[in-house]
Amino acid sequence: MIDCKWVYKVKQKSDGTVDRYKARLVAIGFKQRYGLEYEDTFSPVVKAATIRLVLSLAISKQWSIRQLDVQNAFLHGVLEEDVYMKQPPRFVDPTLPHYVCKLDKSLYGLKQAPRAWFARLSAKLHDLGFHGSKADTSLFYFRQGGVTIYFLVYVDDIIVVSSSTMAMDKLLVQLRDAFALKDLGPLHYFLGIEVTGCSSGGLLLRQNKYAKELIHKAGLKHCKPASTPMATTEKLTRHVGDPLDSVAATRYRSIVGGLQYLTLTRPDIAFAVNKVCQYLHCPTTTHMTAVKRILRYISGSLDFGLKFVRSTSLLVTAFSDADWAGCSDDRKST
């Protein structure tokens, strides 16, 4: 029998203002036993490259893009295992205080909740004629009679791209029969990414708010901006600088992880972030200085983003360069 508790959260809008106050009953899932009360725990999430690719296609072909949100998504998942939970705090039946709850559907906090929700959603989409992509398990596509629909899933946040507005409206009606679906209109804010339309008909993706939070977390709120993310003469190696203590090393890994997510809309810092990622196992003071340099560059370029414009060609073009035996530690090529 597992416990449960109430969790309170303040939901914010893209500009940081308060959207609403949220209370949710959450199961304390760490008491669950593997093989008895849960099996698989995963929930596939769409890849960043897939998001960029589908948005690029939508802009080039001038298709409509809509954003959906499933309210209380995990509560839709049906449990395959027997899970027993105590009565919710402050809602214990006074006449039957010793009774327990047998869960038929999943709750937030259960280890199998993400998997149960994704299984329910994918089953519904397959019933509607969608197929799962082999390249990305969170991408579903529908092609029939000249109509093409792409369905991108990131837990309970969904992007729908369609060549036909009527087909999209019909799809939303069919999904509302099964789930508490909320149509958020044209894509504007997704996974911490701000999406704004351009006068040319394109899209601009930025992570302005996320970047500010990352700079504030690193204690560089009033830092002096840098013009480049990394010095051209700097050569990072494994043994340069003094090793960081455990607290500073954990902070280093946390900030670098945040920078990795920021590269989704900031390819200009991708090379520098890749460099500092190579020393996550043994960071030094010099590596931390390099991370701060990247953050100083970001603070001076907060309005930078990734712009999608209409293209007449769908040909994929790639450029590559090689640094022959450039790594000072093991002389490997990059």
Side-chain angles (χ1 to χ4, degrees), residues 223-230 292-301:
C223 65
K224 183 181 177 182
S227 56
T228 56
M230 181 175 270
K292 288 180 178 179
R293 168 79 179 240
I294 300 171
L295 291 168
R296 284 173 51 215
Y297 168 71
I298 292 167
S299 71
S301 56

Side-chain angles (χ1 to χ4, degrees), residues 10-253:
V10 180
K11 301 288 282 186
Q12 295 180 332
K13 297 179 182 176
S14 58
D15 57 359
T17 57
V18 176
D19 183 20
R20 66 185 188 276
Y21 297 96
K22 197 170 186 178
R24 173 176 282 153
L25 183 68
V26 175
I28 301 177
F30 64 80
K31 289 189 176 181
Q32 289 181 266
R33 292 165 296 175
Y34 177 73
L36 257 174
E37 294 155 333
Y38 74 95
E39 291 287 345
D40 296 326
T41 60
F42 69 95
S43 173
V45 289
V46 71
K47 299 172 186 173
T50 308
I51 298 172
R52 289 194 293 253
L53 176 64
V54 170
L55 290 180
S56 180
L57 280 171
I59 295 300
S60 294
K61 291 178 174 288
Q62 293 187 308
W63 289 350
S64 56
I65 308 170
R66 294 269 274 279
Q67 184 178 355
L68 310 177
D69 180 55
V70 181
Q71 296 176 334
N72 301 318
F74 286 3
L75 305 186
H76 293 287
V78 179
L79 293 179
E80 298 172 359
E81 305 86 5
D82 289 338
V83 181
Y84 297 93
M85 187 183 75
K86 291 181 180 179
Q87 295 184 52
R90 300 191 183 185
F91 288 89
V92 178
D93 190 335
T95 58
L96 302 166
H98 59 285
Y99 270 42
V100 298
C101 306
K102 182 180 183 296
L103 301 181
D104 293 324
K105 290 194 173 183
S106 64
L107 272 182
Y108 284 82
L110 292 178
K111 289 184 179 291
Q112 67 266 50
R115 176 191 55 80
W117 152 243
F118 186 81
R120 175 89 190 278
L121 176 64
S122 57
K124 179 65 178 177
L125 290 172
H126 283 125
D127 290 343
L128 296 175
F130 279 81
H131 301 280
S133 169
K134 292 179 181 178
D136 193 333
T137 50
S138 293
L139 171 64
F140 298 87
Y141 63 91
F142 174 89
R143 287 197 190 99
Q144 196 176 80
V147 174
T148 302
I149 302 175
Y150 291 114
F151 200 92
L152 293 158
V153 183
Y154 194 102
V155 190
D156 58 348
D157 290 317
I158 297 166
I159 296 176
V160 184
V161 172
S162 176
S163 59
S164 168
T165 309
M166 289 179 61
M168 185 182 286
D169 292 336
K170 184 181 177 183
L171 171 66
L172 297 188
V173 170
Q174 291 171 324
L175 287 174
R176 282 197 183 99
D177 292 339
F179 311 113
L181 205 65
K182 190 176 179 182
D183 185 3
L184 302 177
L187 183 64
H188 62 281
Y189 191 68
F190 184 76
L191 306 178
I193 303 166
E194 303 160 40
V195 183
T196 52
C198 303
S199 54
S200 58
L203 281 180
L204 178 64
L205 271 61
R206 294 187 301 177
Q207 291 170 283
N208 197 317
K209 179 174 173 284
Y210 183 80
K212 286 179 180 176
E213 290 173 354
L214 199 59
I215 292 167
H216 185 72
K217 178 183 176 182
L220 299 172
K221 192 176 181 181
H222 304 290
C223 65
K224 183 181 177 182
S227 56
T228 56
M230 181 175 270
T232 53
T233 56
E234 190 172 20
K235 200 81 171 176
L236 293 178
T237 62
R238 188 182 302 168
H239 305 293
V240 66
D242 300 321
L244 298 176
D245 59 48
S246 59
V247 176
T250 301
R251 188 161 168 263
Y252 175 91
R253 295 182 187 107

